[in-house]
Amino acid sequence: MPESGAGDDSRFVTVERTDHIAESLTESEEGASSDGVLAAFARRVAAGESDTALQALDQLDRTDVKLLEHQVNAAYRALFEMNGTALLADEVGLGKTIEVGMILKEMHHRDTSGSVLILTPAQLAKQWQGELSEKFGLEYVCNYDDEFVDFATHDHVIASIDTAKSDRHRETVLARDWDVLVLDEAHYVKNEETERYSLIDQLRYRYAFFLTATPIQNELTDLYNIISLLRPGLFGTRDVFHNYFVDTNDTLVNTEELQRRLGQVMIRNRRAETDIDFTDRHIDTRTFPPTPAERELYELVTEYVTGAYSQDQGQKLVLMLLQKEVVSSPAALRGTIQKQLHDQEHLDSRDDLRSILDAIDAIETNTKQQRLTDIIDQARETVDKGRVIVFTQFRATQATLLAGLADAGYTTHAFHGGHSSAEKETIVADFEREGGILVSTDAMNEGRNLQFCNIMVNYDLPWNPMKVEQRIGRIHRIGQDRDVYVFNMALEGTIEEYVLERLYSKIDLFQQTVGELSTILSGLEQSGQSFEDAIFERLLDAGSQIELENDFDAMAVDLSEQQELASKMAEFNDGVFAGFDLGADRDMPAGGVAGAQTRLGDHE
């Protein structure tokens, strides 16, 4: 295969790559880059400062982030061996976000990250923001923040890639010269015919870090497209790449050359080659029959929501909220109904809303709240300090639970988005020291590490499994040394039960990681319909309970197919990279991969 260089692409202002850091230093000092990472690296050495390690490590609070050896090595290699242009392709669960956080912290320390753009899937943007802030002290504005203006106003931005490519923002994003680009879930840009690919292809940036656990999803061309965005020219043209690395039988060939070129830009650590021992996760879903009064309230709300949506689809978010609140608590539902009454101008609707308020007043027993104590009592008997985290989506439900638990003699802690950063730190510290019950809204989802607790309860259920996994991820993560127990609660015959039993449990979505879920849900996302929208519309369109059950069964089949595809993608990636030295084992001789062949057609 002909030798291919980095190409004459104006988006990159980097020094020439060498295989040894000493050579990189020499070339940096000669002026290959006046203000880049390696130039700063060289200046510090020339001044007598030690640069044999990542300097920003000393700035980190090790209670906030526990760095593992493979993560530190990945950050170091990406910065100083790959000239700040790397594809971080660790297997799921090994902490690619931590690696990028370490990279950005080091660049910030060296004053080489004036403007940074981090593009993620929409559902991960806030999580990135929280992790960078709380683990690395790096403050970024997110496009979902109230203070976000546009991509020209802020120097450190986290945004969904779809927001960045939108008609409203695309021109502004492309008009700017970014110092650093971070692209999460880089396999989203594997297709060169999409607007996402086009956006990244046209962006101007100096350094770039792409993340994906699945660099290849369908065929080897996926890898080519991603690498070509990151390091143009590394593999030559698409035809040359395919003809050289795939023979007429669709078998991978010339693996040593592929390894050599990938080694210039790609880092891939595998779980089996780390010392990380992930504990088991146990899921216990409990459904309870509602009281007659609770059943009547649920049916009244569902009937109102269905009728109101047929008349005015513009109310969709409010109506969806009502359907979630009715299975959470009467208190949560009451506040929204009262607001609707205040805002509603049509007399017929006011009558329906008053009927719902009357039904709320008729409820004497809160079934889920009563049954919550059964779970907590079990935890008290078997777990250190009886620590349990209870998640709810609604502040009114949180207040009700806290009052009831306190009256029953439990030690309680409240966590929600209204607390300041200092207050949140104190709350978590008190929970760790005192034990008891932490009742939290989904504000806890963002970047909190709570491995000292291993039991959580989903008191009410987000309809997006990604949000559920982010909840679980607070306790089931690197550093957890005990098995994790997750309890899900639902009333029988409600939308919550259908989501649990016919979607989540049926295809075992609770056992998937965030990265795996992202892959499974990507087909639905690409259709332009969110997971929550799909659930809501099935509820509205069903003419009977049997039809609703059948609709959810059909949705489960669709998700199962996506799950099988995601599994094949993972197998395919493992097969292509089997035996490759991509950073996990630096001492493996190159000859160890000679002759390796992987069938490509089996997993397409």
Side-chain angles (χ1 to χ4, degrees):
M1 182 177 179
E3 190 71 23
S4 299
D8 183 18
D9 194 306
S10 61
R11 92 182 73 170
F12 294 106
V13 184
T14 61
V15 300
E16 184 71 22
R17 182 187 185 277
T18 69
D19 292 328
H20 302 287
I21 293 176
E23 295 175 9
S24 296
L25 287 174
T26 300
E27 295 191 6
S28 297
E29 291 173 314
E30 290 174 353
S33 174
S34 61
D35 57 353
V37 169
L38 292 183
F41 185 87
R43 286 196 300 271
R44 289 177 180 273
V45 171
E49 301 177 29
S50 174
D51 242 315
T52 59
L54 294 168
Q55 296 177 359
L57 285 173
D58 294 335
Q59 299 179 352
L60 297 178
D61 185 339
R62 302 307 171 88
T63 63
D64 291 331
V65 56
K66 294 178 174 60
L67 294 170
L68 301 177
E69 182 179 0
H70 76 270
Q71 296 167 340
V72 176
N73 287 341
Y76 188 90
R77 291 188 64 207
L79 279 171
F80 301 120
E81 293 185 23
M82 296 180 178
N83 288 353
T85 304
L87 175 63
L88 303 173
D90 291 357
E91 289 182 344
V92 170
L94 295 185
K96 292 185 289 296
T97 307
I98 297 297
E99 293 168 1
V100 171
M102 187 66 250
I103 289 168
L104 294 177
K105 185 72 173 179
E106 187 72 15
M107 296 184 81
H108 178 76
H109 174 73
R110 297 172 186 270
D111 296 325
T112 55
S113 59
S115 59
V116 182
L117 175 62
I118 301 177
L119 298 178
T120 78
Q123 65 270 22
L124 297 181
K126 294 295 290 183
Q127 181 176 327
W128 266 89
Q129 184 185 39
E131 296 229 350
L132 290 178
S133 173
E134 296 178 21
K135 290 185 173 71
F136 297 97
L138 299 173
E139 299 302 327
Y140 283 72
V141 67
C142 176
N143 68 281
Y144 299 111
D145 293 340
D146 292 339
E147 59 267 33
F148 176 77
V149 179
D150 56 40
F151 288 87
T153 303
H154 310 281
D155 284 334
H156 296 86
V157 182
I158 298 174
S160 78
I161 187 170
D162 290 330
T163 297
K165 74 175 179 57
S166 67
D167 292 340
R168 178 181 178 185
H169 295 293
R170 183 185 181 92
E171 184 176 343
T172 305
V173 173
L174 294 178
R176 187 166 188 177
D177 292 328
W178 298 93
D179 288 310
V180 183
L181 170 67
V182 176
L183 177 64
D184 193 15
E185 305 294 350
H187 51 270
Y188 278 20
V189 299
K190 63 184 174 61
N191 186 344
E192 71 273 17
E193 297 180 358
T194 64
E195 291 184 5
R196 290 172 176 172
Y197 183 97
S198 175
L199 176 76
I200 304 302
D201 190 37
Q202 295 180 62
L203 269 170
R204 296 194 303 272
Y205 48 85
R206 178 165 297 169
Y207 306 108
F209 307 96
F210 288 9
L211 294 77
T212 178
T214 54
I216 303 170
Q217 291 199 300
N218 293 310
E219 55 186 24
L220 203 58
T221 303
D222 297 345
L223 179 63
Y224 174 87
N225 289 342
I226 294 171
I227 295 293
S228 293
L229 284 174
L230 190 62
R231 190 76 66 86
L234 182 64
F235 284 114
T237 67
R238 185 176 286 101
D239 288 341
V240 168
F241 172 81
H242 192 271
N243 292 336
Y244 189 77
F245 291 116
V246 183
D247 67 14
T248 55
N249 296 317
D250 280 339
T251 300
L252 184 68
V253 293
N254 294 318
T255 54
E256 290 186 66
E257 178 64 16
L258 180 61
Q259 174 192 12
R260 187 182 74 81
R261 290 181 184 271
L262 284 175
Q264 297 179 39
V265 71
M266 181 173 175
I267 301 169
R268 183 170 175 84
N269 293 296
R270 304 175 184 88
R271 287 195 182 203
E273 295 162 344
T274 69
D275 295 328
I276 303 171
D277 183 17
F278 291 90
T279 60
D280 291 334
R281 177 185 299 187
H282 306 275
I283 307 297
D284 187 344
T285 295
R286 301 190 179 185
T287 58
F288 315 105
T291 65
E294 288 174 323
R295 167 60 60 191
E296 180 179 356
L297 176 62
Y298 179 81
E299 291 176 350
L300 278 173
V301 170
T302 303
E303 182 179 349
Y304 170 74
V305 167
T306 303
Y309 186 70
S310 66
Q311 298 175 19
D312 181 6
Q313 296 187 6
Q315 298 186 70
K316 183 175 184 177
L317 293 179
V318 173
L319 298 176
M320 192 182 293
L321 178 65
L322 292 174
Q323 201 69 51
K324 294 177 180 179
E325 289 174 334
V326 69
V327 293
S328 178
S329 72
L333 180 64
R334 184 189 299 276
T336 304
I337 292 295
Q338 289 175 334
K339 186 177 186 304
Q340 284 287 96
L341 265 173
H342 180 268
D343 298 339
Q344 190 60 259
E345 298 178 358
H346 303 294
L347 182 60
D348 291 344
S349 295
R350 292 179 65 85
D351 289 343
D352 292 338
L353 293 169
R354 287 196 184 99
S355 296
I356 293 174
L357 280 181
D358 290 341
I360 292 174
D361 293 336
I363 291 180
E364 298 178 353
T365 300
N366 188 325
T367 299
K368 285 171 70 174
Q369 186 170 2
Q370 283 188 337
R371 298 302 185 94
L372 175 63
T373 58
D374 296 338
I375 297 173
I376 291 174
D377 287 341
Q378 283 183 289
R380 268 188 154 180
E381 295 172 0
T382 60
V383 180
D384 178 39
K385 295 187 179 180
R387 293 191 192 95
V388 179
I389 300 174
V390 179
F391 273 106
T392 175
Q393 299 172 83
F394 305 107
R395 290 278 292 272
T397 301
Q398 180 189 44
T400 299
L401 294 179
L402 286 167
L405 291 169
D407 289 344
Y410 294 98
T411 300
T412 61
H413 312 268
F415 189 106
H416 54 70
H419 293 123
S420 67
S421 296
E423 288 172 333
K424 289 177 180 177
E425 296 294 339
T426 300
I427 291 165
V428 172
D430 290 345
F431 178 47
E432 181 174 10
R433 183 181 66 257
E434 300 171 3
I437 318 302
L438 174 68
V439 183
S440 177
T441 66
D442 284 325
M444 177 65 76
N445 279 359
E446 299 172 9
R448 293 285 167 178
N449 296 323
L450 301 170
Q451 294 97 322
F452 58 83
C453 177
N454 68 323
I455 293 183
M456 64 163 286
V457 179
N458 288 310
Y459 186 81
D460 49 45
L461 192 74
W463 292 355
N464 188 329
M466 189 75 74
K467 294 181 180 179
V468 181
E469 176 56 33
Q470 287 168 354
R471 287 179 174 182
I472 298 173
R474 297 308 97 218
I475 62 175
H476 196 211
R477 58 196 299 113
I478 293 175
Q480 177 61 263
D481 57 6
R482 296 173 292 174
D483 284 0
V484 166
Y485 297 86
V486 178
F487 295 88
N488 303 308
M489 304 181 68
L491 294 178
E492 293 176 359
T494 65
I495 188 70
E496 206 165 38
E497 183 193 22
Y498 295 137
V499 172
L500 273 170
E501 296 291 348
R502 297 184 178 273
L503 292 182
Y504 292 0
S505 299
K506 182 167 287 189
I507 63 172
D508 208 16
L509 283 180
F510 286 114
Q511 296 297 340
Q512 314 298 324
T513 65
V514 168
E516 291 163 338
L517 281 173
S518 177
T519 303
I520 292 171
L521 300 178
S522 63
L524 185 63
E525 179 187 284
Q526 290 170 4
S527 71
Q529 183 184 49
S530 73
F531 197 82
E532 293 192 352
D533 288 341
I535 290 172
F536 188 58
E537 289 177 10
R538 277 164 171 76
L539 174 69
L540 298 178
D541 295 341
S544 65
Q545 182 172 336
I546 293 178
E547 186 176 341
L548 181 61
E549 293 174 358
N550 290 337
D551 285 347
F552 273 93
D553 285 340
M555 190 174 180
V557 170
D558 292 340
L559 285 174
S560 295
E561 292 174 352
Q562 289 293 322
Q563 190 176 39
E564 291 172 8
L565 179 60
S567 178
K568 289 181 179 179
M569 291 174 186
E571 291 174 10
F572 187 41
N573 275 280
D574 289 342
V576 170
F577 300 124
F580 278 53
D581 174 17
L582 299 179
D585 185 358
R586 303 299 305 280
D587 297 324
M588 187 178 73
V593 298
Q597 291 189 341
T598 302
R599 292 287 301 176
L600 298 183
D602 293 343
H603 299 299
E604 291 184 1

